[in-house]
Amino acid sequence: MKRKINVGIVDDEIFGRDFVEAILHNQFPDLEVIFKAVNLKDAYEKIIQQQPDLLFLDIELGDGSAFELFDKIPNLKSQVIFITAYDQYAIKAIKKDAVDYILKPINEEEFTTATSKALEGLNHNKEATNEIMLPTSHGLRRTKINDIIRCEADSNYTLIYLIDKTKIIVSKTLQEFEEQFAEYNFIRIHHKHLINLNHLTNYIKGKGGQVMMSDDSIIDVSIRRKISFLETIKNLGH
């Protein structure tokens, strides 16, 4: 199941934090605010622990400047939007590869435009990294994740079925792949089967039911996973 995009908000003023969260809630309901930080120390700890996709950063914080975070976290992966009452930091923000720089008081139209731009950047990054290196008996094979139709457990190994009709045996458990592919529209339908919903073509009713995949394979859905599976496919495209 596709995960939500995670957001962190860093602002030492409660009004600023709550105002940003309110706009996101109204304009971008698919985004999830996972933390709000009030100072540099708090922000650093939460960013390291929770790895947000998108960061809204006030610059002047009680215990320092938000720019210090870039020195402490040189490999920061988040898309960053600066929100500040001071306009003298614009050039420095651009040098930090910020998505945008918004002055307080926040203009909602500017905020929405900046957030949309950040989401486009996230999608571009995701498309660029939507590949996996699969270890095979002949070495490593670079594979697009969406070229994987399904995964099947085989003891401590996993069989990977690809759209080109090949099957790869990988020395990783199905549980590991379930966690790794959680954000790529894969779902566990059976203790032995993990499927890519992008390759689901049909559901056949039954006690647990069965699914037909794009390679014409037919796979059982376990009774205990049936309800959650049907709920998931019902929400596809919403």
Side-chain angles (χ1 to χ4, degrees), residues 100-144:
D100 215 328
Y101 181 93
I102 300 174
L103 286 173
K104 295 180 179 179
I106 297 173
N107 177 289
E108 287 197 36
E109 185 175 347
E110 289 181 3
F111 181 93
T112 300
T113 299
T115 303
S116 298
K117 190 194 305 182
L119 296 179
E120 288 176 8
L122 285 171
N123 288 333
H124 175 76
N125 291 342
K126 184 174 178 180
E127 288 171 6
T129 58
N130 190 16
E131 294 182 333
I132 185 174
M133 296 298 288
L134 294 174
T136 72
S137 57
H138 303 293
L140 295 173
R141 171 169 174 165
R142 184 186 296 276
T143 304
K144 291 182 179 179

Side-chain angles (χ1 to χ4, degrees), residues 38-183:
V38 301
N39 55 43
L40 203 61
K41 180 177 182 295
D42 190 24
Y44 173 76
E45 292 174 352
K46 288 177 176 175
I47 291 170
I48 291 296
Q49 292 170 1
Q50 302 189 51
Q51 300 289 316
D53 302 301
L54 175 57
L55 265 175
F56 292 92
L57 285 180
D58 190 7
I59 293 178
E60 291 287 352
L61 302 170
D63 57 348
S65 165
F67 290 118
E68 295 177 43
L69 289 171
F70 292 84
D71 298 324
K72 294 183 176 181
I73 315 173
N75 60 341
L76 182 65
K77 298 291 195 300
S78 309
Q79 296 279 300
V80 176
I81 296 174
F82 285 109
I83 299 177
T84 179
Y86 307 95
D87 61 2
Q88 67 265 37
Y89 297 113
I91 293 177
K92 195 170 183 179
I94 292 170
K95 288 182 177 179
K96 296 298 183 183
D97 293 326
V99 173
D100 215 328
Y101 181 93
I102 300 174
L103 286 173
K104 295 180 179 179
I106 297 173
N107 177 289
E108 287 197 36
E109 185 175 347
E110 289 181 3
F111 181 93
T112 300
T113 299
T115 303
S116 298
K117 190 194 305 182
L119 296 179
E120 288 176 8
L122 285 171
N123 288 333
H124 175 76
N125 291 342
K126 184 174 178 180
E127 288 171 6
T129 58
N130 190 16
E131 294 182 333
I132 185 174
M133 296 298 288
L134 294 174
T136 72
S137 57
H138 303 293
L140 295 173
R141 171 169 174 165
R142 184 186 296 276
T143 304
K144 291 182 179 179
I145 293 175
N146 201 45
D147 285 351
I148 298 173
I149 296 174
R150 60 190 180 94
C151 308
E152 181 180 352
D154 184 9
S155 187
N156 288 326
Y157 294 83
T158 299
L159 307 178
I160 307 289
Y161 295 84
L162 304 175
I163 60 174
D164 64 2
K165 307 296 184 182
T166 59
K167 178 174 68 175
I168 300 174
I169 302 175
V170 181
S171 57
K172 291 174 65 173
T173 66
L174 191 63
Q175 177 68 32
E176 290 177 89
F177 281 111
E178 182 180 11
E179 294 170 358
Q180 186 171 3
F181 294 160
E183 63 179 293

